[in-house]
Amino acid sequence: MIDLYTAATPNGHKISIALEELELQYTLHVLDLSANEQKEPWFLNFNPNGRIPAIVDRANDNFAVFESGAILIYLAEKTGRLLPADPEGRSRVLQWLMFQMGGIGPMMGQANVFYRYFPEKLQPAIDRYQGETKRLFRVLDGQLRDNEYLAGEYSIADIANWAWVRTHKWSGVDVDDLPNLQRWLNTIGDRPAVQRGITLPPSDVLDRANNDDEAARFAQAARNMLETGQSRQGKG
């Protein structure tokens, strides 16, 4: 049994999707990020960074893992699935996983901050992060031109990138001119395990992006979290 501590974010959905794909038993613990539950001492005991997601593997002497990429690798290695055993295949998957961790996630995250959450509209910052996000999308589209999935067979690299790219409208970046990326988004989105994983916990980010009033309410709540975040107090 695995305890999953999470929230309805792309990083959180990476893990719920993987757990569903791998058919592992787990208990869902949804943290209230607006209440800073992720900063509580009990959570920091097994995730000192105070961010979601994190897991505790009760079947492995309560072993805790934080950072979504590390969790994906741990789960894949635990089950022998979604990560090839041969060195070259494994490397290809890890390369595209790191592409998401170091590029797609940070750039889309910053696009979200400046396009949706920041109180002032700093257009150079918006242009910077939306432009870099689109460049990274073009890299994915090129890789998918001759490949059904990013690293050959369906893997944790696809799960990690898909969980973020599917929210492109929230970042204000379109994919209309990227047919290979669109095909990949639809193919993965049709998987039953993926459809289950993105509802654990529920998220309506795509609906919010198409509803101005709902988008404004959500953005204001996120802005309040940014303005009261512990990082401003020098506490991480």
Side-chain angles (χ1 to χ4, degrees):
M1 179 65 73
I2 290 172
D3 284 330
L4 168 61
Y5 298 88
T6 190
T9 72
N11 284 335
H13 284 142
K14 291 180 200 176
I15 311 307
S16 53
I17 290 170
L19 287 165
E20 291 293 327
E21 289 280 12
L22 296 169
E23 301 176 292
L24 289 169
Q25 289 189 329
Y26 67 100
T27 301
L28 189 72
H29 304 275
V30 181
L31 274 64
D32 185 348
L33 303 185
S34 65
N36 271 333
E37 281 191 278
Q38 72 278 15
K39 302 295 185 181
E40 294 292 334
W42 65 268
F43 186 70
L44 296 175
N45 281 338
F46 54 84
N47 184 355
N49 194 35
R51 298 288 191 273
I52 63 94
I55 66 168
V56 177
D57 189 350
R58 302 300 181 189
N60 188 21
D61 197 27
N62 294 331
F63 185 70
V65 188
F66 67 95
E67 289 298 321
S68 59
I71 297 170
L72 288 173
I73 295 169
Y74 176 84
L75 295 174
E77 291 180 337
K78 178 182 177 72
T79 59
R81 295 171 58 192
L82 299 179
L83 180 63
D86 66 285
E88 292 80 8
R90 175 184 173 86
S91 178
R92 281 190 289 269
V93 169
L94 294 182
Q95 288 173 56
W96 287 105
L97 175 61
M98 295 307 121
F99 179 86
Q100 185 279 306
M101 298 294 296
I104 291 288
M107 291 303 103
M108 291 187 71
Q110 291 301 315
N112 292 344
V113 167
F114 288 103
Y115 179 63
R116 295 285 185 180
Y117 309 146
F118 211 67
E120 296 85 25
K121 289 297 181 184
L122 304 179
Q123 197 60 46
I126 294 172
D127 292 343
R128 153 66 180 163
Y129 292 113
Q130 288 182 337
E132 181 62 6
T133 295
K134 187 60 178 274
R135 185 190 72 80
L136 295 171
F137 285 0
R138 287 195 291 269
V139 174
L140 291 174
D141 189 72
Q143 175 66 10
L144 292 164
R145 183 177 299 114
D146 299 315
N147 299 278
E148 184 177 10
Y149 298 109
L150 289 173
E153 296 183 358
Y154 181 64
S155 71
I156 56 174
D158 296 290
I159 292 172
N161 281 278
W162 184 88
W164 273 95
V165 176
R166 68 178 287 268
T167 68
H168 63 90
K169 288 184 180 180
W170 190 248
S171 302
V173 181
D174 69 76
V175 298
D176 294 345
D177 58 338
L178 303 174
N180 307 305
L181 188 64
Q182 291 182 58
R183 184 268 306 161
W184 173 82
L185 283 169
N186 292 332
T187 296
I188 295 177
D190 286 340
R191 294 178 67 91
V194 172
Q195 293 176 5
R196 293 193 299 271
I198 58 173
T199 66
L200 299 165
S203 173
D204 58 353
V205 64
L206 301 185
D207 291 336
R208 287 198 301 269
N210 294 318
N211 184 312
D212 291 343
D213 291 339
E214 182 59 26
R217 284 193 292 271
F218 184 87
Q220 182 58 56
R223 188 175 302 128
N224 292 339
M225 290 173 60
L226 289 174
E227 292 174 349
T228 61
Q230 292 193 30
S231 60
R232 285 198 169 191
Q233 303 171 28
K235 297 181 181 179

